[in-house]
Amino acid sequence: MQRVREVTNSPSPLAQLLEDPTAFQTSSKSKAKRDHRNSSRSRSRDRSASIIGLALVEEERQANNLKSILRSTTTRLEFEIRRAEDMASRAEYAEMRALDATTKLMSAESARQQAELTGSRLGEEVRRYQTQLANLERELGRLKSDVHRLEQHNREVSDQAEEARDKSQKHHIALQEYEAREEGREQARKFAMNRCFDDGWEEGWSVGHSEGYKEGKRDGHKEGVKIGRREGLAEGRERGRNEERRNALEAFDRFLDEEMDGDENVSFCCYVFFELGPHPLMSAIPPTPPSPGFGLRRKGPKAPPRLPLSAFSPPNSGTSEAFPLPPSPSTVNPDFVVDAHVILKDGDLDLSRWKEDAGRVPGSQIGGAVLYLSPTNPDSEGAVSKAASVHGDIPVISVAALFSLEDPNPSVPSYLTGSSLPISLYSAFKKSTDVSAATLRWGLERGRPVDIEIQALISDTMLEGFEDLLIKAIKDLDNAPPIVLSGILPPPHDLSLPIVKLMSHPAYRAFQAQIAALSLFPNVYIKFLPPSWETPGELATESDAKLKKEWKRRIKMYLGPTLEAFGYQRIIYGSASSAGSQNSSKSRDWYEVAKESVAELGVEQEAINAIFYENAKKVYGV
């Protein structure tokens, strides 16, 4: 290309010749002197022609050379053009690849950044997990140390409890022996008094007989025969009684020797009585009633006494060497109290009298009430609306409507079905009939609890009829609602019966059997209400602590078997007496007696909460 540029830019020989002024001057001069210089014309012409020819030849040669160079350059130019086009296509392809590579590089960079973010996040999570793992390992170590400490504490408590049980058993046995010894001493004192009376009477009779025998023989022979026959008959009868009494007392003496390890005072009194013997006129003094279990013999080893659950409660701390006494029953209170038996009476529809009687429950709060429409109240609809109005002040858990088991077509009043309060049913049981079974089933099909007040003396036949009534009512009934029985805890009772005789009384044993039989129905509950006993009036006032103590002793006699049979999960507290009761005690008085009676049986706080609150909420709540 440089050569082409040089050849192209350099002037041709012809152009150089034409541009040369010397050549034109020579030619011009030659024409001017044409006439003068004829001789030199031919030489100048020849030289000009040769110069022009040489210039033309050189021009042609250069033209040919230029053409060859041009052809060669054209060929190379075409080659270079093809190369340029090839390079352009390659550049475009390279540019496309570079663009693709740039896109991939950007994607890779984005992925790298995302991976770095993910890696940093995962690193933070790993560090957090490592921190949590370290915390969990420290917590696990602390828990292991706590478990070890608790196991050691449990072993210490178990040892202390075992020791306390042994001490309690010994103390209980000693207490029983002391009570039996005191009872034997009392019996011996009575026997000694009777014997002293007999001795004095016999001595006086002997002296009088010796002094008046001769004087009265003639006058009183006939009369003496009559009197002698009468006295002889009485004496024979009394001697027979005394022989039987002697045999009984010998058995009682053996019982005292076995049970009281041969107490000298009792043995001496019995010895004096047996050695001197009873007098026939001892029949003038009424015989002392035998104690419970008199003359009975135990078969096998003596059964260990039953201790309350509170005797086995653990101490407050594992470091204490003394086993603590259970808390005082007066200080044990449920968290809340639900009165599951409040009767809406005429004149007290807003429960103002009930709230006044109940007062503030010591150590607890009133958690609600179950209201019962009184059958003597003519305005039941107004009572329900009034109960709904006091619902905000006292939570009304349920309103119980009365129905008769003997009604073949029972129904729920319309004002109850439209009430916003939960509805339950209650009735009274006097005898079992086919109609009562069908009516009870109708009540259970409503899906709400049914209260049944037992208003009949439960004999074996009556119990069988009542069990048959329950079986017929709940037969093939899915998810039968609870049946709550009242009027049997505590049952009717004679307060004049000594409590030592109550333990072996047929009525008490029948009560235990009946409670055990009723507990076999899983949906049957027992309501703990004030007893319908023969002593009306206010219950357990502060000035009458003796009456309160006696009532609690008798209530515990019936509450203990009920707790064993039903458990604390199926006993419900209520403050209103049953329909047949003459008791007029206040709600607060009965609450204190009932709570202390339950607490003195040694149950835990969980059982007290269940009896006085949780069971009622579970049964009557929606």
Side-chain angles (χ1 to χ4, degrees), residues 64 182 289 315 380 429 490 594:
N64 291 333
E182 288 296 322
S380 298
F429 171 79

Side-chain angles (χ1 to χ4, degrees), residues 366-388:
I366 297 179
V370 179
L371 307 182
Y372 288 77
L373 299 178
S374 175
T376 60
N377 186 8
D379 188 13
S380 298
E381 183 175 0
V384 173
S385 61
K386 193 70 175 179

